[in-house]
Amino acid sequence: MIKPIVAFLIKREYFVYLLFLACTVVTLLLTLLPPGNLHGPSIFEYDKIGHFLMFFGWTFMLGLSRIIRKKQPIRLWIVFLIGALFGIAIEITQGILPYDRSASLYDAIADVIGSFSAVLLLKYIQTNLSFIIKKAYPTVK
C-alpha cells in the first residue's frame, strides 16, 4: 500500500511541497493559537496522540520533500533533529505566550516520538522503494 502512495507523491513534486506547507500551517495554528480560537468539537481529545500525529505528519512531509528535491537518499538523522527541535521549540513558545497555553514535557516527548516514527517510515521508503525515485527521474543515478 505504501508503494503506490509514494509513487503518486514523487511524480507530483509540487503537491508534496504544498502538503508540507499545509502541515506547517496547521501545526502552528493548532499549537500556538489561543485555545478559545479553536472552535468545534475537540479534535485532539487525546492530546498526546494529536501531538504525535501532527509531528509525524510534519516530519514525514519534510523528509519526503527533501528526498524528492535531492532525488537521492538523504541523512534522516537531520530530518529527525529538525522535527524534534521544531516540536520542542513550539513547547517552549507555548510556555512564553501570554495566553492560556503552557509548555508540557509530555507533549514534547510525543512530538519527538512522532518525528522519530516518521523517520522510520522514511528509512523504509529510502531503503526499499528507492527504485521508484529512479523510475520517476531516470537521469538520476
Side-chain angles (χ1 to χ4, degrees):
M1 174 156 164
I2 293 174
K3 180 182 169 185
I5 294 170
V6 172
F8 174 84
L9 290 173
I10 285 176
K11 291 177 185 174
R12 289 154 185 88
E13 190 171 333
Y14 289 101
F15 185 64
V16 172
Y17 300 142
L18 183 64
L19 283 174
F20 175 63
L21 178 64
C23 283
T24 302
V25 170
V26 167
T27 299
L28 290 172
L29 288 175
L30 289 175
T31 57
L32 297 180
L33 277 179
N37 287 358
L38 304 173
H39 300 291
S42 177
I43 296 172
F44 299 119
E45 191 170 303
Y46 300 99
D47 185 47
K48 304 314 174 248
I49 294 171
H51 277 267
F52 172 88
L53 292 173
M54 276 192 298
F55 285 89
F56 176 89
W58 188 87
T59 304
F60 180 78
M61 294 313 299
L62 170 68
L64 190 60
S65 65
R66 288 183 48 86
I67 290 169
I68 289 172
R69 185 165 184 259
K70 293 202 175 255
K71 297 171 183 54
Q72 62 185 6
I74 60 169
R75 294 184 186 129
L76 292 173
W77 68 270
I78 294 174
V79 174
F80 168 71
L81 189 61
I82 292 169
L85 290 176
F86 182 48
I88 292 167
I90 284 178
E91 289 306 315
I92 291 169
T93 303
Q94 285 179 341
I96 296 170
L97 292 173
Y99 43 83
D100 192 24
R101 286 286 188 178
S102 59
S104 167
L105 174 63
Y106 295 113
D107 286 351
I109 291 170
D111 299 344
V112 170
I113 293 171
S115 294
F116 183 74
S117 299
V119 166
L120 291 177
L121 180 57
L122 290 165
K123 176 68 174 166
Y124 172 81
I125 289 169
Q126 269 194 174
T127 304
N128 298 310
L129 303 178
S130 62
F131 65 90
I132 294 173
I133 296 171
K134 291 176 184 170
K135 186 176 179 182
Y137 304 102
T139 59
V140 175
K141 294 182 181 183

